Amino acid sequence: MFGSVSYSKKIFLILMGSSLVITLLSIFIALYFTLTNSRDAMAAKIQSVAYVLADSVKQALVEHDNSVQQRVDTVATLVQADQITLFDEQGNIFSSYNPKKLPAPQAIKKEHFIMDNDRVKFFLPVTADQKMIGSLYIQADLLDYKKDLLMRSLYLILLFMALLLVAYIFSKKMQKLLSEPILSLAKTAAFIRDEQNFGIRVSTSQLSEEIVVLYETFNEMLSKMEQRELQREVAEEEARKYQTHLEVLAEDLEERVSKRTQDLQESMKTLQEAQIQLVESEKMAALGNLVGGVAHEVNTPLGNAITSLSILTDTAKRLQDQLEEDRLKRSDLEKSLKLLSDTSIMIYSNVHRAADLIRSFKKISIDQISEERRIFKLKRYSYEIFTTFKAALKRSNVVWEIEMEHEASIYGYPGIYGQILANLIQNSLVHAFEGVDEKKIILKIEVVDDIVSLSFKDNGVGIAPEIIDMVFEPFVTTKRNQGGSGLGLNIVYNLVTQKLHGTLKVISKPDEGSEFLIRFNTKDEI
């Protein structure tokens, strides 16, 4: 607000502003109390006089004595009333003061007080022995009250002008008193800056205590700057002495750094090649798990088909023997035909399931080693990936579930998606469920427009807080002595961020499981 205003003007403006605010506030408070007290005082005066008058006319009202007019006139003069009307018990005018010929009011039976901008009106019943014997009405003009308020306001305005003048003179004096030492100090500082002479000192005589502290601090600063200037000159001399020596050392260091850099580049190249080999090994290991899982799944329907085929062969042979020996009955024929039909259906079903599994494995295995982009159904493909791990999941007593409201087809890279999901499943099997009784994995899939959101969640032991921030880094594992390479989640991270251009984060607490959240846009892939 005052950024470009000089210090002395700031002092003046602050003092004048403060004085103006305090003075205005005081005047407003005075006006408020003047207004309130004047109106209240006038109302109280009329009420109290009305009570006295009502008490003094009771006897006259009872005896119908019309000699109260003088008292009514006296009260009207006392409160400067415009109209006073005294009514009898029947509401008729008993006595009245009305020099301005104002309209006569109606008598009322309850006390009532009215004050507006122009007049004060007061109705008061007159009672004797708890019986109403008449009523009193008083009306007064607020003109005198307004004149009094105007005079008070003029007085307060004059007082405000006088106080404002005093504040102006005081602010000017304070401005000069406070700014002169600072301006003098600023001139001295400017001279020292131009001349670069740090031996100058400012005098602290005839100054206030606070300014003396400022001047003494300035002198101390000059002393330190003078010492530092001397030290700088000495340091420059020493620096010149060591300059040649440093140049020789720099040349030697440059040669060493160049050699070390070359060695480091060769080591990094070797390390990158080793990391690539490890990643490829992880991919092949995942493909090996896929082969094992599918082989286990294919064995079951093929075994069922072989068993059914044996039953089919035995039944056919038995029918042929019965037919040759002329022992074939109609009931035996019907029973054998029924068995042959059921067995054929069972063989077809198991062979068809084995073919589907092999076809699914062929599709997934091709996807695993290629990055061909095609249209595929997310939920169905996810189910096929989980099926390849069915044996391992069953062996570990892990229940799995895929939640997706509506099946959706996307144009993407099923191989990359399959690698991501396979690595997450394998990670949960290796790390998540040690010591957990009811093991469960839930995959939630949501597709909105071209945005795919995945939530892969297990109810396992969770991730330790000390490694959760580096869980996607290569070679980070808690199962190194048990065959863990620490590359599974690093592969997932690289596939999501580099191949799919998506985001990946993990939410986990000890003993509360882990949740991996993946989000990518099918239009941004590769």
Side-chain angles (χ1 to χ4, degrees), residues 37-38 61 87 90-91 111-113 121 127 148 225 231 251 319 329 341 373 407 448 461 474 490 522 524:
N37 292 338
S38 297
L61 285 171
F87 298 94
Q90 286 76 31
E111 184 174 334
H112 188 52
F113 182 83
K121 301 176 183 179
T127 59
D148 180 61
M225 292 180 68
Q231 293 173 355
E251 291 177 359
L319 278 175
K329 299 179 181 180
S341 175
R373 193 171 190 180
E407 176 67 279
V448 179
V461 296
N490 178 251
T522 56
D524 295 338

Side-chain angles (χ1 to χ4, degrees), residues 445-461:
I445 307 173
E446 183 179 352
V447 180
V448 179
D449 296 331
D450 297 310
I451 305 298
V452 179
S453 300
L454 305 175
S455 167
F456 185 93
K457 186 175 183 180
D458 63 59
N459 65 338
V461 296

Side-chain angles (χ1 to χ4, degrees), residues 478-491:
T478 59
K479 302 283 186 179
R480 192 171 304 281
N481 297 328
Q482 302 175 31
S485 66
L487 289 174
L489 290 181
N490 178 251
I491 292 174

Side-chain angles (χ1 to χ4, degrees), residues 256-414:
R256 293 184 181 183
V257 169
S258 177
K259 187 176 183 303
R260 293 286 179 89
T261 303
Q262 185 176 359
D263 294 342
L264 182 61
Q265 288 175 347
E266 292 177 358
S267 300
M268 287 296 295
K269 183 178 180 182
T270 304
L271 182 62
Q272 288 174 353
E273 291 175 354
Q275 184 174 348
I276 292 171
Q277 290 177 359
L278 284 172
V279 170
E280 291 300 322
S281 298
E282 284 290 315
K283 288 185 179 180
M284 292 300 104
L287 191 58
N289 291 332
L290 186 67
V291 171
V294 170
H296 183 274
E297 290 299 314
V298 169
N299 281 338
T300 300
L302 286 180
N304 292 336
I306 292 171
T307 302
S308 300
L309 187 60
S310 176
I311 294 172
L312 184 65
T313 303
D314 291 344
T315 303
K317 186 176 183 307
R318 187 172 60 253
L319 278 175
Q320 185 176 3
D321 291 343
Q322 289 176 345
L323 184 62
E324 290 175 353
E325 295 173 4
D326 200 18
R327 293 186 294 105
L328 183 62
K329 299 179 181 180
R330 181 180 181 86
S331 59
D332 292 337
L333 179 62
E334 291 177 350
K335 184 177 179 181
S336 296
L337 289 175
K338 177 71 167 59
L339 180 60
L340 288 173
S341 175
D342 293 343
T343 306
S344 299
I345 293 172
M346 187 177 297
I347 292 171
Y348 175 80
S349 175
N350 282 280
V351 172
H352 188 270
R353 173 162 174 74
D356 285 343
L357 286 170
I358 293 170
R359 186 164 50 251
S360 175
F361 164 69
K362 180 181 177 182
K363 181 170 59 177
I364 292 173
S365 61
I366 291 172
D367 288 336
Q368 290 279 328
I369 59 176
S370 71
E371 292 184 351
E372 179 185 355
R373 193 171 190 180
R374 62 181 176 82
I375 297 175
F376 67 99
K377 294 183 177 181
L378 270 175
K379 187 173 183 180
R380 181 175 177 181
Y381 198 79
S382 302
Y383 183 86
E384 291 174 349
I385 298 296
F386 268 98
T387 301
T388 62
F389 285 90
K390 190 173 181 180
L393 291 166
K394 187 176 182 181
R395 187 166 54 250
S396 299
N397 294 321
V398 178
V399 178
W400 56 277
E401 182 181 344
I402 299 176
E403 296 182 2
M404 187 175 186
E405 223 176 287
H406 303 290
E407 176 67 279
S409 296
I410 65 169
Y411 183 62
Y413 296 87

Side-chain angles (χ1 to χ4, degrees), residues 467-490:
I467 67 167
I468 192 168
D469 291 334
M470 52 183 182
V471 73
F472 296 122
E473 295 179 8
F475 311 113
V476 175
T477 179
T478 59
K479 302 283 186 179
R480 192 171 304 281
N481 297 328
Q482 302 175 31
S485 66
L487 289 174
L489 290 181
N490 178 251

Side-chain angles (χ1 to χ4, degrees), residues 100-111:
K100 294 182 180 180
K101 307 300 181 183
L102 298 174
Q106 297 291 327
I108 63 174
K109 295 183 179 181
K110 63 179 180 178
E111 184 174 334

Side-chain angles (χ1 to χ4, degrees), residues 198 221-240:
F198 299 106
M221 181 187 70
L222 290 175
S223 298
K224 290 182 179 179
M225 292 180 68
E226 187 177 16
Q227 293 175 3
R228 289 179 181 176
E229 184 67 17
L230 293 174
Q231 293 173 355
R232 184 182 63 82
E233 291 176 357
V234 173
E236 286 179 353
E237 182 65 25
E238 292 291 328
R240 281 191 291 270

Side-chain angles (χ1 to χ4, degrees), residues 2 16 192 200 223 414 470 484:
F2 297 118
M16 278 298 296
I192 293 171
I200 298 174
S223 298
M470 52 183 182

